[in-house]
Amino acid sequence: MPTFVALLNWTDQGVRNYKDTPQRAEAFAAAAQKLGVKILNLYWTVGPYDLVAVVEASDDETATAALLQVGGMGNVRSTTLRAFGREEMDRIIAKTTG
């Protein structure tokens, strides 16, 4: 299943309600699961991003739907990266060689 890394930043609303972040994370995981998205890891971070989520989804559209849903709540903004595992990268490289 495709893997995605979401780099999340709190909005003004999200940082004002920082004490609720564990509950919001649980709500995000439950909503994502209903869409068929699995939260593999969620980290609260120090630096340019406030959270990092590693998720699996069946396709780009499903991952995007989950992240739009969480963004629509108004607490975070996301930058999402498609991540490739070792086996996927081996297949990609195989397509480039003759």
Short mmCIF file of all heavy atoms in Angstrom, two decimals, residues 23-87:
data_model
loop_
_atom_site.label_atom_id
_atom_site.label_comp_id
_atom_site.label_asym_id
_atom_site.label_seq_id
_atom_site.Cartn_x
_atom_site.Cartn_y
_atom_site.Cartn_z
N GLN A 23 -6.27 14.28 21.70
CA GLN A 23 -7.63 13.89 21.32
C GLN A 23 -7.87 14.14 19.83
O GLN A 23 -8.55 13.35 19.16
CB GLN A 23 -8.66 14.66 22.16
CG GLN A 23 -8.66 14.27 23.63
CD GLN A 23 -7.55 14.96 24.44
OE1 GLN A 23 -6.92 15.91 24.00
NE2 GLN A 23 -7.31 14.45 25.64
N ARG A 24 -7.31 15.23 19.32
CA ARG A 24 -7.46 15.51 17.88
C ARG A 24 -6.75 14.44 17.07
O ARG A 24 -7.23 14.03 16.01
CB ARG A 24 -6.92 16.90 17.55
CG ARG A 24 -7.76 18.02 18.11
CD ARG A 24 -7.46 19.38 17.50
NE ARG A 24 -6.07 19.72 17.38
CZ ARG A 24 -5.44 20.64 18.12
NH1 ARG A 24 -6.09 21.29 19.07
NH2 ARG A 24 -4.17 20.91 17.90
N ALA A 25 -5.61 13.97 17.55
CA ALA A 25 -4.88 12.91 16.85
C ALA A 25 -5.71 11.63 16.82
O ALA A 25 -5.76 10.95 15.78
CB ALA A 25 -3.53 12.65 17.53
N GLU A 26 -6.37 11.30 17.91
CA GLU A 26 -7.23 10.11 17.95
C GLU A 26 -8.40 10.27 16.98
O GLU A 26 -8.77 9.32 16.28
CB GLU A 26 -7.74 9.88 19.36
CG GLU A 26 -6.69 9.38 20.32
CD GLU A 26 -7.21 9.22 21.75
OE1 GLU A 26 -8.44 9.18 21.95
OE2 GLU A 26 -6.36 9.15 22.66
N ALA A 27 -8.98 11.46 16.94
CA ALA A 27 -10.10 11.72 16.03
C ALA A 27 -9.64 11.61 14.58
O ALA A 27 -10.36 11.05 13.73
CB ALA A 27 -10.70 13.09 16.30
N PHE A 28 -8.44 12.11 14.28
CA PHE A 28 -7.88 12.02 12.93
C PHE A 28 -7.69 10.55 12.55
O PHE A 28 -8.07 10.13 11.46
CB PHE A 28 -6.56 12.78 12.86
CG PHE A 28 -5.75 12.53 11.61
CD1 PHE A 28 -6.33 12.63 10.34
CD2 PHE A 28 -4.41 12.22 11.68
CE1 PHE A 28 -5.58 12.42 9.19
CE2 PHE A 28 -3.66 12.00 10.54
CZ PHE A 28 -4.25 12.11 9.30
N ALA A 29 -7.13 9.76 13.45
CA ALA A 29 -6.90 8.34 13.17
C ALA A 29 -8.22 7.61 12.92
O ALA A 29 -8.31 6.80 12.00
CB ALA A 29 -6.13 7.68 14.33
N ALA A 30 -9.24 7.92 13.70
CA ALA A 30 -10.54 7.27 13.52
C ALA A 30 -11.18 7.67 12.20
O ALA A 30 -11.71 6.82 11.47
CB ALA A 30 -11.47 7.61 14.69
N ALA A 31 -11.14 8.95 11.87
CA ALA A 31 -11.72 9.43 10.61
C ALA A 31 -10.95 8.86 9.42
O ALA A 31 -11.55 8.45 8.41
CB ALA A 31 -11.72 10.95 10.57
N ALA A 32 -9.63 8.81 9.52
CA ALA A 32 -8.81 8.27 8.44
C ALA A 32 -9.12 6.79 8.23
O ALA A 32 -9.23 6.32 7.10
CB ALA A 32 -7.33 8.47 8.76
N GLN A 33 -9.28 6.06 9.33
CA GLN A 33 -9.56 4.63 9.24
C GLN A 33 -10.87 4.38 8.49
O GLN A 33 -10.98 3.44 7.71
CB GLN A 33 -9.61 4.03 10.64
CG GLN A 33 -9.76 2.52 10.62
CD GLN A 33 -9.69 1.93 12.02
OE1 GLN A 33 -9.80 2.63 13.02
NE2 GLN A 33 -9.51 0.63 12.09
N LYS A 34 -11.86 5.24 8.71
CA LYS A 34 -13.14 5.09 8.00
C LYS A 34 -12.97 5.23 6.49
O LYS A 34 -13.74 4.69 5.72
CB LYS A 34 -14.15 6.11 8.51
CG LYS A 34 -14.66 5.80 9.90
CD LYS A 34 -15.66 6.83 10.36
CE LYS A 34 -16.10 6.55 11.79
NZ LYS A 34 -17.02 7.57 12.29
N LEU A 35 -11.94 5.99 6.09
CA LEU A 35 -11.66 6.16 4.66
C LEU A 35 -10.72 5.08 4.13
O LEU A 35 -10.41 5.05 2.95
CB LEU A 35 -11.02 7.54 4.42
CG LEU A 35 -11.91 8.75 4.64
CD1 LEU A 35 -11.09 10.03 4.57
CD2 LEU A 35 -13.04 8.78 3.61
N GLY A 36 -10.24 4.21 5.02
CA GLY A 36 -9.31 3.17 4.61
C GLY A 36 -7.86 3.60 4.69
O GLY A 36 -6.99 2.98 4.09
N VAL A 37 -7.58 4.65 5.45
CA VAL A 37 -6.22 5.16 5.63
C VAL A 37 -5.73 4.72 7.00
O VAL A 37 -6.43 4.88 7.99
CB VAL A 37 -6.17 6.70 5.51
CG1 VAL A 37 -4.79 7.24 5.81
CG2 VAL A 37 -6.61 7.13 4.11
N LYS A 38 -4.52 4.19 7.04
CA LYS A 38 -3.95 3.72 8.30
C LYS A 38 -2.84 4.68 8.74
O LYS A 38 -1.92 4.96 7.98
CB LYS A 38 -3.38 2.31 8.14
CG LYS A 38 -2.80 1.74 9.40
CD LYS A 38 -2.30 0.33 9.17
CE LYS A 38 -1.71 -0.23 10.46
NZ LYS A 38 -1.15 -1.57 10.25
N ILE A 39 -2.94 5.16 9.98
CA ILE A 39 -1.89 6.01 10.54
C ILE A 39 -0.82 5.07 11.11
O ILE A 39 -1.06 4.39 12.11
CB ILE A 39 -2.44 6.93 11.67
CG1 ILE A 39 -3.68 7.68 11.22
CG2 ILE A 39 -1.34 7.85 12.17
CD1 ILE A 39 -3.52 8.56 10.02
N LEU A 40 0.34 5.04 10.48
CA LEU A 40 1.41 4.16 10.94
C LEU A 40 2.14 4.76 12.13
O LEU A 40 2.46 4.05 13.08
CB LEU A 40 2.41 3.90 9.81
CG LEU A 40 1.85 3.21 8.57
CD1 LEU A 40 2.93 3.08 7.51
CD2 LEU A 40 1.27 1.85 8.93
N ASN A 41 2.40 6.05 12.06
CA ASN A 41 3.08 6.76 13.15
C ASN A 41 2.65 8.22 13.13
O ASN A 41 2.41 8.79 12.05
CB ASN A 41 4.61 6.71 13.00
CG ASN A 41 5.17 5.35 13.29
OD1 ASN A 41 5.05 4.85 14.40
ND2 ASN A 41 5.79 4.74 12.30
N LEU A 42 2.61 8.80 14.30
CA LEU A 42 2.34 10.23 14.44
C LEU A 42 3.30 10.75 15.49
O LEU A 42 3.37 10.20 16.60
CB LEU A 42 0.90 10.48 14.86
CG LEU A 42 0.51 11.95 15.03
CD1 LEU A 42 0.56 12.68 13.69
CD2 LEU A 42 -0.87 12.07 15.63
N TYR A 43 4.06 11.77 15.11
CA TYR A 43 5.06 12.35 16.01
C TYR A 43 4.80 13.84 16.18
O TYR A 43 4.52 14.54 15.21
CB TYR A 43 6.47 12.18 15.41
CG TYR A 43 6.86 10.76 15.14
CD1 TYR A 43 6.79 10.24 13.85
CD2 TYR A 43 7.31 9.94 16.17
CE1 TYR A 43 7.15 8.93 13.59
CE2 TYR A 43 7.67 8.62 15.91
CZ TYR A 43 7.60 8.13 14.63
OH TYR A 43 7.95 6.83 14.37
N TRP A 44 4.92 14.31 17.41
CA TRP A 44 4.94 15.74 17.68
C TRP A 44 6.41 16.13 17.63
O TRP A 44 7.26 15.46 18.24
CB TRP A 44 4.34 16.03 19.06
CG TRP A 44 2.85 15.91 19.06
CD1 TRP A 44 1.96 16.94 18.94
CD2 TRP A 44 2.05 14.73 19.17
NE1 TRP A 44 0.66 16.46 18.96
CE2 TRP A 44 0.70 15.09 19.10
CE3 TRP A 44 2.35 13.37 19.31
CZ2 TRP A 44 -0.35 14.18 19.18
CZ3 TRP A 44 1.32 12.45 19.39
CH2 TRP A 44 -0.01 12.86 19.32
N THR A 45 6.73 17.17 16.89
CA THR A 45 8.14 17.48 16.62
C THR A 45 8.48 18.91 17.01
O THR A 45 7.60 19.76 17.17
CB THR A 45 8.45 17.26 15.13
OG1 THR A 45 7.58 18.07 14.33
CG2 THR A 45 8.28 15.80 14.74
N VAL A 46 9.78 19.15 17.12
CA VAL A 46 10.32 20.48 17.37
C VAL A 46 11.09 20.86 16.11
O VAL A 46 11.86 20.07 15.58
CB VAL A 46 11.27 20.47 18.59
CG1 VAL A 46 11.91 21.82 18.80
CG2 VAL A 46 10.51 20.03 19.84
N GLY A 47 10.88 22.05 15.62
CA GLY A 47 11.55 22.49 14.40
C GLY A 47 10.54 23.13 13.47
O GLY A 47 9.54 23.69 13.91
N PRO A 48 10.76 23.04 12.17
CA PRO A 48 9.88 23.73 11.23
C PRO A 48 8.48 23.14 11.12
O PRO A 48 7.58 23.79 10.61
CB PRO A 48 10.62 23.63 9.89
CG PRO A 48 11.60 22.54 10.04
CD PRO A 48 11.91 22.43 11.50
N TYR A 49 8.27 21.91 11.61
CA TYR A 49 6.94 21.29 11.59
C TYR A 49 6.55 20.90 13.00
O TYR A 49 7.38 20.53 13.82
CB TYR A 49 6.92 20.07 10.66
CG TYR A 49 7.22 20.45 9.24
CD1 TYR A 49 8.50 20.31 8.71
CD2 TYR A 49 6.24 21.03 8.44
CE1 TYR A 49 8.78 20.72 7.41
CE2 TYR A 49 6.51 21.43 7.15
CZ TYR A 49 7.79 21.28 6.64
OH TYR A 49 8.06 21.69 5.38
N ASP A 50 5.25 20.98 13.27
CA ASP A 50 4.74 20.66 14.60
C ASP A 50 4.43 19.18 14.78
O ASP A 50 4.51 18.65 15.89
CB ASP A 50 3.48 21.49 14.89
CG ASP A 50 3.78 22.97 14.87
OD1 ASP A 50 4.75 23.39 15.54
OD2 ASP A 50 3.06 23.72 14.18
N LEU A 51 4.06 18.53 13.69
CA LEU A 51 3.76 17.09 13.72
C LEU A 51 4.21 16.46 12.41
O LEU A 51 4.24 17.13 11.37
CB LEU A 51 2.25 16.84 13.85
CG LEU A 51 1.55 17.40 15.07
CD1 LEU A 51 0.76 18.63 14.71
CD2 LEU A 51 0.64 16.36 15.66
N VAL A 52 4.48 15.18 12.48
CA VAL A 52 4.78 14.38 11.29
C VAL A 52 3.93 13.12 11.37
O VAL A 52 3.97 12.41 12.39
CB VAL A 52 6.27 14.02 11.20
CG1 VAL A 52 6.53 13.10 10.01
CG2 VAL A 52 7.14 15.26 11.10
N ALA A 53 3.15 12.87 10.33
CA ALA A 53 2.32 11.67 10.27
C ALA A 53 2.81 10.79 9.13
O ALA A 53 3.09 11.28 8.03
CB ALA A 53 0.86 12.04 10.04
N VAL A 54 2.93 9.51 9.40
CA VAL A 54 3.26 8.53 8.36
C VAL A 54 2.02 7.67 8.20
O VAL A 54 1.55 7.05 9.15
CB VAL A 54 4.48 7.67 8.77
CG1 VAL A 54 4.81 6.67 7.66
CG2 VAL A 54 5.68 8.55 9.09
N VAL A 55 1.46 7.69 6.98
CA VAL A 55 0.19 7.01 6.74
C VAL A 55 0.27 6.11 5.51
O VAL A 55 1.09 6.34 4.62
CB VAL A 55 -0.97 8.02 6.58
CG1 VAL A 55 -1.06 8.94 7.78
CG2 VAL A 55 -0.83 8.85 5.32
N GLU A 56 -0.58 5.11 5.50
CA GLU A 56 -0.75 4.25 4.33
C GLU A 56 -2.16 4.44 3.81
O GLU A 56 -3.12 4.50 4.59
CB GLU A 56 -0.58 2.78 4.70
CG GLU A 56 0.83 2.32 4.81
CD GLU A 56 0.93 0.82 5.07
OE1 GLU A 56 -0.07 0.18 5.49
OE2 GLU A 56 2.02 0.28 4.86
N ALA A 57 -2.26 4.51 2.49
CA ALA A 57 -3.57 4.63 1.84
C ALA A 57 -3.53 3.83 0.55
O ALA A 57 -2.46 3.60 -0.02
CB ALA A 57 -3.90 6.09 1.56
N SER A 58 -4.70 3.45 0.08
CA SER A 58 -4.75 2.64 -1.14
C SER A 58 -4.31 3.41 -2.38
O SER A 58 -3.83 2.82 -3.33
CB SER A 58 -6.16 2.09 -1.33
OG SER A 58 -7.10 3.15 -1.39
N ASP A 59 -4.46 4.74 -2.34
CA ASP A 59 -4.08 5.55 -3.49
C ASP A 59 -3.97 7.02 -3.07
O ASP A 59 -4.31 7.39 -1.95
CB ASP A 59 -5.10 5.39 -4.63
CG ASP A 59 -6.53 5.62 -4.17
OD1 ASP A 59 -6.81 6.67 -3.56
OD2 ASP A 59 -7.38 4.75 -4.42
N ASP A 60 -3.49 7.84 -4.01
CA ASP A 60 -3.29 9.27 -3.74
C ASP A 60 -4.59 9.97 -3.36
O ASP A 60 -4.61 10.82 -2.47
CB ASP A 60 -2.70 9.98 -4.97
CG ASP A 60 -1.30 9.52 -5.32
OD1 ASP A 60 -0.68 8.79 -4.51
OD2 ASP A 60 -0.82 9.89 -6.40
N GLU A 61 -5.67 9.61 -4.05
CA GLU A 61 -6.95 10.27 -3.80
C GLU A 61 -7.45 10.02 -2.38
O GLU A 61 -7.95 10.92 -1.72
CB GLU A 61 -8.01 9.81 -4.82
CG GLU A 61 -7.72 10.27 -6.24
CD GLU A 61 -6.78 9.35 -7.00
OE1 GLU A 61 -6.34 8.32 -6.44
OE2 GLU A 61 -6.46 9.67 -8.16
N THR A 62 -7.29 8.79 -1.91
CA THR A 62 -7.75 8.44 -0.57
C THR A 62 -6.92 9.16 0.49
O THR A 62 -7.45 9.70 1.47
CB THR A 62 -7.71 6.92 -0.36
OG1 THR A 62 -8.50 6.30 -1.39
CG2 THR A 62 -8.23 6.52 1.00
N ALA A 63 -5.61 9.19 0.30
CA ALA A 63 -4.74 9.92 1.24
C ALA A 63 -5.09 11.40 1.25
O ALA A 63 -5.17 12.03 2.31
CB ALA A 63 -3.27 9.72 0.85
N THR A 64 -5.32 11.96 0.07
CA THR A 64 -5.66 13.38 -0.02
C THR A 64 -6.99 13.66 0.66
O THR A 64 -7.13 14.67 1.37
CB THR A 64 -5.71 13.81 -1.51
OG1 THR A 64 -4.43 13.56 -2.09
CG2 THR A 64 -6.05 15.28 -1.65
N ALA A 65 -7.96 12.78 0.49
CA ALA A 65 -9.26 12.96 1.15
C ALA A 65 -9.10 13.01 2.67
O ALA A 65 -9.69 13.87 3.34
CB ALA A 65 -10.23 11.85 0.76
N ALA A 66 -8.30 12.10 3.22
CA ALA A 66 -8.09 12.08 4.68
C ALA A 66 -7.41 13.36 5.15
O ALA A 66 -7.80 13.94 6.17
CB ALA A 66 -7.27 10.86 5.08
N LEU A 67 -6.41 13.82 4.41
CA LEU A 67 -5.69 15.02 4.82
C LEU A 67 -6.52 16.29 4.62
O LEU A 67 -6.42 17.23 5.41
CB LEU A 67 -4.35 15.10 4.10
CG LEU A 67 -3.38 14.02 4.59
CD1 LEU A 67 -2.23 13.82 3.64
CD2 LEU A 67 -2.88 14.33 6.00
N LEU A 68 -7.37 16.30 3.60
CA LEU A 68 -8.30 17.43 3.44
C LEU A 68 -9.29 17.47 4.58
O LEU A 68 -9.63 18.53 5.10
CB LEU A 68 -9.05 17.32 2.11
CG LEU A 68 -8.28 17.74 0.87
CD1 LEU A 68 -9.08 17.38 -0.38
CD2 LEU A 68 -7.97 19.22 0.90
N GLN A 69 -9.73 16.29 4.99
CA GLN A 69 -10.69 16.21 6.09
C GLN A 69 -10.08 16.77 7.38
O GLN A 69 -10.69 17.57 8.08
CB GLN A 69 -11.14 14.77 6.28
CG GLN A 69 -12.31 14.60 7.20
CD GLN A 69 -12.83 13.17 7.17
OE1 GLN A 69 -12.06 12.22 7.07
NE2 GLN A 69 -14.14 13.02 7.24
N VAL A 70 -8.85 16.35 7.69
CA VAL A 70 -8.22 16.85 8.91
C VAL A 70 -7.89 18.34 8.79
O VAL A 70 -8.05 19.10 9.73
CB VAL A 70 -6.98 16.02 9.31
CG1 VAL A 70 -5.77 16.30 8.44
CG2 VAL A 70 -6.62 16.27 10.76
N GLY A 71 -7.47 18.77 7.61
CA GLY A 71 -7.19 20.20 7.40
C GLY A 71 -8.44 21.04 7.50
O GLY A 71 -8.40 22.18 7.99
N GLY A 72 -9.56 20.49 7.08
CA GLY A 72 -10.83 21.20 7.14
C GLY A 72 -11.31 21.50 8.55
O GLY A 72 -12.17 22.36 8.75
N MET A 73 -10.75 20.81 9.52
CA MET A 73 -11.11 21.07 10.92
C MET A 73 -10.49 22.37 11.42
O MET A 73 -10.87 22.88 12.47
CB MET A 73 -10.70 19.90 11.80
CG MET A 73 -11.42 18.63 11.48
SD MET A 73 -10.70 17.28 12.43
CE MET A 73 -12.02 16.10 12.34
N GLY A 74 -9.49 22.87 10.68
CA GLY A 74 -8.92 24.17 10.98
C GLY A 74 -7.76 24.20 11.96
O GLY A 74 -7.28 25.28 12.30
N ASN A 75 -7.27 23.04 12.37
CA ASN A 75 -6.18 23.02 13.36
C ASN A 75 -4.79 22.86 12.76
O ASN A 75 -3.80 23.19 13.40
CB ASN A 75 -6.42 21.91 14.38
CG ASN A 75 -7.64 22.19 15.22
OD1 ASN A 75 -7.73 23.21 15.87
ND2 ASN A 75 -8.59 21.28 15.19
N VAL A 76 -4.71 22.29 11.54
CA VAL A 76 -3.40 22.06 10.92
C VAL A 76 -3.46 22.37 9.43
O VAL A 76 -4.52 22.35 8.80
CB VAL A 76 -2.92 20.60 11.10
CG1 VAL A 76 -2.62 20.27 12.55
CG2 VAL A 76 -3.88 19.60 10.50
N ARG A 77 -2.27 22.62 8.90
CA ARG A 77 -2.04 22.69 7.46
C ARG A 77 -1.00 21.62 7.15
O ARG A 77 -0.12 21.36 7.97
CB ARG A 77 -1.50 24.06 7.06
CG ARG A 77 -2.52 25.15 7.14
CD ARG A 77 -1.98 26.44 6.51
NE ARG A 77 -2.96 27.48 6.64
CZ ARG A 77 -3.07 28.28 7.70
NH1 ARG A 77 -2.23 28.16 8.70
NH2 ARG A 77 -4.00 29.21 7.74
N SER A 78 -1.11 21.02 5.99
CA SER A 78 -0.19 19.91 5.71
C SER A 78 0.56 20.10 4.40
O SER A 78 0.08 20.73 3.47
CB SER A 78 -0.96 18.58 5.67
OG SER A 78 -1.83 18.55 4.56
N THR A 79 1.74 19.52 4.39
CA THR A 79 2.54 19.31 3.18
C THR A 79 2.74 17.81 3.13
O THR A 79 3.24 17.21 4.08
CB THR A 79 3.90 20.03 3.29
OG1 THR A 79 3.68 21.42 3.45
CG2 THR A 79 4.76 19.77 2.06
N THR A 80 2.32 17.19 2.03
CA THR A 80 2.32 15.74 1.97
C THR A 80 3.32 15.25 0.93
O THR A 80 3.38 15.78 -0.19
CB THR A 80 0.91 15.21 1.65
OG1 THR A 80 0.01 15.77 2.62
CG2 THR A 80 0.86 13.71 1.72
N LEU A 81 4.06 14.23 1.30
CA LEU A 81 5.06 13.63 0.44
C LEU A 81 4.71 12.17 0.20
O LEU A 81 4.36 11.45 1.14
CB LEU A 81 6.44 13.69 1.12
CG LEU A 81 6.88 15.04 1.65
CD1 LEU A 81 8.10 14.88 2.55
CD2 LEU A 81 7.17 15.98 0.51
N ARG A 82 4.80 11.72 -1.03
CA ARG A 82 4.66 10.29 -1.32
C ARG A 82 5.99 9.65 -1.00
O ARG A 82 7.03 10.10 -1.46
CB ARG A 82 4.26 10.10 -2.79
CG ARG A 82 4.27 8.67 -3.31
CD ARG A 82 3.25 7.77 -2.62
NE ARG A 82 3.08 6.54 -3.36
CZ ARG A 82 3.79 5.43 -3.16
NH1 ARG A 82 4.73 5.39 -2.24
NH2 ARG A 82 3.55 4.35 -3.88
N ALA A 83 5.99 8.62 -0.20
CA ALA A 83 7.22 7.94 0.20
C ALA A 83 7.29 6.56 -0.46
O ALA A 83 6.27 5.87 -0.57
CB ALA A 83 7.26 7.79 1.73
N PHE A 84 8.48 6.17 -0.86
CA PHE A 84 8.68 4.88 -1.52
C PHE A 84 9.57 4.00 -0.66
O PHE A 84 10.65 4.41 -0.24
CB PHE A 84 9.33 5.06 -2.90
CG PHE A 84 8.48 5.86 -3.85
CD1 PHE A 84 8.64 7.22 -3.97
CD2 PHE A 84 7.48 5.25 -4.59
CE1 PHE A 84 7.84 7.97 -4.83
CE2 PHE A 84 6.68 5.97 -5.44
CZ PHE A 84 6.86 7.33 -5.56
N GLY A 85 9.11 2.78 -0.40
CA GLY A 85 9.91 1.80 0.34
C GLY A 85 10.97 1.19 -0.56
O GLY A 85 11.02 1.45 -1.77
N ARG A 86 11.81 0.36 0.04
CA ARG A 86 12.92 -0.25 -0.68
C ARG A 86 12.46 -1.04 -1.90
O ARG A 86 13.00 -0.91 -3.00
CB ARG A 86 13.71 -1.15 0.28
CG ARG A 86 14.77 -2.02 -0.37
CD ARG A 86 15.87 -1.17 -0.99
NE ARG A 86 16.75 -1.95 -1.81
CZ ARG A 86 17.94 -2.40 -1.42
NH1 ARG A 86 18.39 -2.15 -0.23
NH2 ARG A 86 18.68 -3.11 -2.24
N GLU A 87 11.45 -1.89 -1.75
CA GLU A 87 10.97 -2.70 -2.87
C GLU A 87 10.40 -1.82 -3.97
O GLU A 87 10.62 -2.09 -5.16
CB GLU A 87 9.93 -3.70 -2.40
CG GLU A 87 10.52 -4.81 -1.54
CD GLU A 87 9.47 -5.79 -1.06
OE1 GLU A 87 8.31 -5.73 -1.52
OE2 GLU A 87 9.82 -6.63 -0.21
#
